[in-house]
Amino acid sequence: MKIVGSAIAALADFVLDAVFPANIYCIGCGAVIDKSHPYSLCGRCLSHFHFASDRTCLKCGKLLEEGYQHSICRDCRTFEREFERGYTCMLYGLYEKEMIRAFKYKDRCYYAYYLGELMYDRIAPIFEEEIRADIVVPVPLHRKKLAKRGYNQAELLAQEVAARLFLPEKKALIRTVNTKPMSRLSGIERRENLQGAFAVPPQYISEIKQKCILLIDDIFTSGSTADACARTLKSAGASAVVLLSLAAGGNSGARDGDEL
Ligand SMILES: [Zn+2]
Ligand SMILES: [Zn+2]
């Protein structure tokens, strides 16, 4: 019986290995790694990635540049934020960008498991003490983009984070306008481009009323998308919005999650 049992266990391992190939490939560079690596990232990628540290903007969570004197970033000093507080996990830099692009555009949906874990680890130590949330809501994709891409990467991340926080994940936001690419637009133009671009479907109005929302996106740059989402949620009755992004860009040509 023992032999049969161990044969079944070995078969189960084999099947799991086949279903979760990221267990043997680094999700950053594709190098073969063993399963003990955190977030399925090899040592090289872990050392190249810039993870968020103490030097982050106290409002949006973006990593602050070396030598920057203030505790609030330039964007947050320019625009009034619609969300209460933002957090991010890493810089949207060269190495990080490669991984996130593969996750978004090359059907690497299974990255969500590891990246969701990374996002959860970012806020778990401060959850309930510094921030709280009742519901997790992803930044939505317009249905046309969703049909083209097949999945919304922010939604996959939101599901992973919500499961770990034991909170419900709700698609309480929809994108009503298929906005134009915003990479060449200024901060103010981006904001105008997003006017009225989001809505809360009627069936979610009662669910978000007086609730604190944890808004999830993959990339945060100017913050115009997060602001538009937070404004929409709060005008529909949410009491507060906290943002958690996977990566945040500085002035290095990075763009908001929907703009690539
Ligand atoms: Zn790697
Ligand atoms: Zn900021």
Side-chain angles (χ1 to χ4, degrees), residues 36-243:
S36 64
H37 284 259
Y39 316 121
S40 203
L41 282 166
C42 75
R44 191 171 151 269
C45 285
L46 281 171
S47 67
H48 279 147
F49 282 16
H50 292 86
F51 290 97
S53 63
D54 295 341
R55 290 283 297 150
T56 51
C57 171
L58 289 181
K59 187 66 192 173
C60 73
K62 195 186 280 188
L63 284 82
L64 297 172
E65 294 153 27
E66 199 80 27
Y68 182 74
Q69 298 293 326
H70 305 279
S71 53
I72 304 284
C73 78
R74 284 188 196 93
D75 282 344
C76 290
R77 283 154 61 90
T78 311
F79 299 106
E80 197 164 326
R81 294 302 187 194
E82 305 280 348
F83 51 86
E84 293 13 83
R85 183 74 163 87
Y87 297 87
T88 196
C89 305
M90 60 178 79
L91 181 75
Y92 189 53
L94 274 181
Y95 292 97
E96 298 89 344
K97 196 178 285 186
E98 281 303 306
M99 177 187 69
I100 294 170
R101 283 191 166 186
F103 171 48
K104 287 173 76 160
Y105 303 111
K106 294 183 182 169
D107 290 330
R108 309 276 167 82
C109 307
Y110 64 89
Y111 284 14
Y113 175 84
Y114 302 101
L115 300 175
E117 189 174 34
L118 201 151
M119 292 173 84
Y120 167 77
D121 285 348
R122 173 75 183 97
I123 54 161
I126 48 169
F127 201 73
E128 301 293 358
E129 287 169 24
E130 198 173 315
I131 53 170
R132 61 171 204 89
D134 306 302
I135 306 172
V136 181
V137 174
V139 169
L141 276 184
H142 189 269
R143 59 184 168 75
K144 281 187 181 163
K145 265 186 194 142
L146 183 63
K148 204 170 157 196
R149 198 177 299 173
Y151 57 96
N152 173 5
Q153 70 285 347
E155 190 182 313
L156 300 181
L157 295 172
Q159 286 164 357
E160 295 292 341
V161 173
R164 286 166 175 80
L165 289 171
F166 299 103
L167 290 176
E169 181 260 336
K170 306 266 180 192
K171 289 166 224 3
L173 276 173
I174 53 166
R175 200 179 276 252
T176 50
V177 181
N178 198 7
T179 47
K180 288 177 257 166
M182 300 202 282
S183 56
R184 288 192 184 84
L185 301 183
S186 71
I188 291 165
E189 286 169 331
R190 285 175 185 219
R191 272 152 208 281
E192 282 171 1
N193 196 29
L194 285 167
Q195 285 283 358
F198 298 95
V200 175
Q203 69 268 33
Y204 286 107
I205 300 274
S206 60
E207 301 213 39
I208 65 161
K209 209 156 205 74
Q210 297 301 313
K211 294 288 192 322
C212 183
I213 313 289
L214 180 62
L215 181 67
I216 302 282
D217 206 357
D218 53 340
I219 305 162
F220 177 93
T221 56
S222 71
S224 49
T225 302
D227 276 332
C229 287
R231 192 184 314 123
T232 307
L233 286 165
K234 282 158 95 172
S235 17
S239 58
V241 176
V242 174
L243 170 79

